Amino acid sequence: MRVGVFDSGVGGLSVVKSLLEHKLFEEIIYFGDTARVPYGVKDQNTIIRYSLEALEFFKNFEIDLLITACNTVSAYALDEMREQSHCDVIGVVDPGVLALKNAIPNIDANILILGTKATVKSGAYEKGLHELGYNNLSAIATSLLVPIVEEGLYEGEVLQSTLNHYFAHLEKTPDAIILGCTHFPLVATAIDNYFDGKSSLIHSGEAIVEYLESHYDFTKRFEETSLKFFASENPEGLRRVAKEWLNLA
Ligand code: DGL
């Protein structure tokens, strides 16, 4: 199986990390639209247009599946991409909703959704969760966490005061938190500590793996995966982050 992974920038590498850990693919072709990131502050038409342009890029490769690791793209552009794609296109929202259901079956659970401004505005996670009967939902656009992760500030004062800024007003500790943005798994430990380990964290990468394993036949696992990284700007920068996040030699 060859897979394409699309993200607005470097963040989707958090999903690649999970794909590699589970040895699901023989080849991963990653494209990050680093010239135009962030998508999370753009409007629906722009997000769809950029996503369809990325789809054109992937048409240069023979891929069996395309994963949009970007939550913002998954929230807005999946239908349009599917209409124009020659292979299956999977987003991270539905897998995230299913992973939440598997982790926390209690529909009265207090669920907090974190995402970019656009993802939160779309209400995509809420829609999926409402359909399954969950009603105790809230969402916060924790946009500052995106540049904080890109600066490599996975711990420390700046991160702590940002978490305080977003979470101090919460009256209750959430039972579960959906990390609805590619960057947030990189600060999952800090978020987990903030809530004293009392919230279950739903990570897009793990959710995608769970989804793929239950929807496709992965009888074969690949000890070696060939990785190809492309970016619309500064591909060396993307490769540098990939080396760091994925512990590549
Ligand atoms: N990849 C985006 C997401 O998961 C975060 C960065 C951006 O705003 O483009 O929503």
Side-chain angles (χ1 to χ4, degrees):
M1 281 272 262
R2 287 201 188 93
V3 69
V5 177
F6 166 46
D7 184 53
S8 55
V10 297
L13 293 168
S14 64
V15 168
V16 172
K17 191 168 197 262
S18 300
L19 299 179
L20 288 176
E21 277 165 7
H22 292 266
K23 308 180 194 315
L24 295 187
F25 296 101
E26 189 178 7
E27 183 168 9
I28 298 177
I29 294 158
Y30 184 96
F31 174 67
D33 193 2
T34 47
R36 305 192 287 198
V37 69
Y39 282 16
V41 294
K42 298 196 165 64
D43 70 14
Q44 178 168 11
N45 289 340
T46 307
I47 296 164
I48 292 173
R49 180 160 56 87
Y50 288 178
S51 303
L52 292 179
E53 285 171 16
L55 186 62
E56 286 307 309
F57 168 81
F58 281 105
K59 286 185 180 164
N60 295 312
F61 301 90
E62 277 183 28
I63 51 171
D64 303 299
L65 185 69
L66 178 60
I67 294 174
T68 64
C70 180
N71 285 259
T72 307
V73 170
S74 304
Y76 285 97
L78 217 51
D79 289 345
E80 288 77 3
M81 290 178 81
R82 282 179 175 151
E83 270 168 29
Q84 298 194 24
S85 173
H86 57 279
C87 66
D88 283 1
V89 182
I90 301 178
V92 285
V93 173
D94 288 348
V97 167
L98 290 176
L100 183 283
K101 182 178 160 243
N102 291 338
I104 311 274
N106 173 13
I107 57 168
D108 296 321
N110 164 12
I111 317 261
L112 175 64
I113 299 143
L114 305 181
T116 61
K117 282 200 171 82
T119 299
V120 167
K121 188 171 163 216
S122 76
Y125 277 104
E126 286 89 331
K127 187 169 171 286
L129 289 165
H130 276 308
E131 277 167 16
L132 295 177
Y134 292 90
N135 271 310
N136 195 355
L137 311 176
S138 56
I140 308 177
T142 50
S143 326
L144 286 173
L145 292 177
V146 172
I148 285 176
V149 166
E150 297 207 346
E151 281 293 313
L153 303 174
Y154 310 134
E155 53 189 10
E157 224 174 285
V158 174
L159 177 59
Q160 280 313 314
S161 51
T162 305
L163 296 182
N164 243 340
H165 167 72
Y166 288 126
F167 302 143
H169 70 282
L170 292 176
E171 283 167 11
K172 275 192 185 160
T173 297
D175 296 312
I177 302 175
I178 294 188
L179 303 175
C181 172
T182 45
H183 291 56
F184 301 170
L186 277 296
V187 286
T189 306
I191 296 174
D192 191 42
N193 290 340
Y194 188 94
F195 293 104
D196 296 324
K198 291 187 179 136
S199 302
S200 300
L201 303 187
I202 306 297
H203 174 319
S204 295
E206 291 308 305
I208 271 280
V209 168
E210 216 175 303
Y211 182 90
L212 289 170
E213 286 182 334
S214 61
H215 286 75
Y216 293 84
D217 182 14
F218 283 102
T219 37
K220 191 163 175 204
R221 301 282 157 157
F222 298 92
E223 287 311 316
E224 301 266 313
T225 301
S226 140
L227 291 167
K228 294 200 171 85
F229 296 108
F230 298 92
S232 51
E233 184 179 277
N234 189 12
E236 300 76 23
L238 171 75
R239 286 185 199 116
R240 208 171 34 246
V241 179
K243 262 190 160 180
E244 187 193 324
W245 289 12
L246 306 177
N247 298 320
L248 302 177

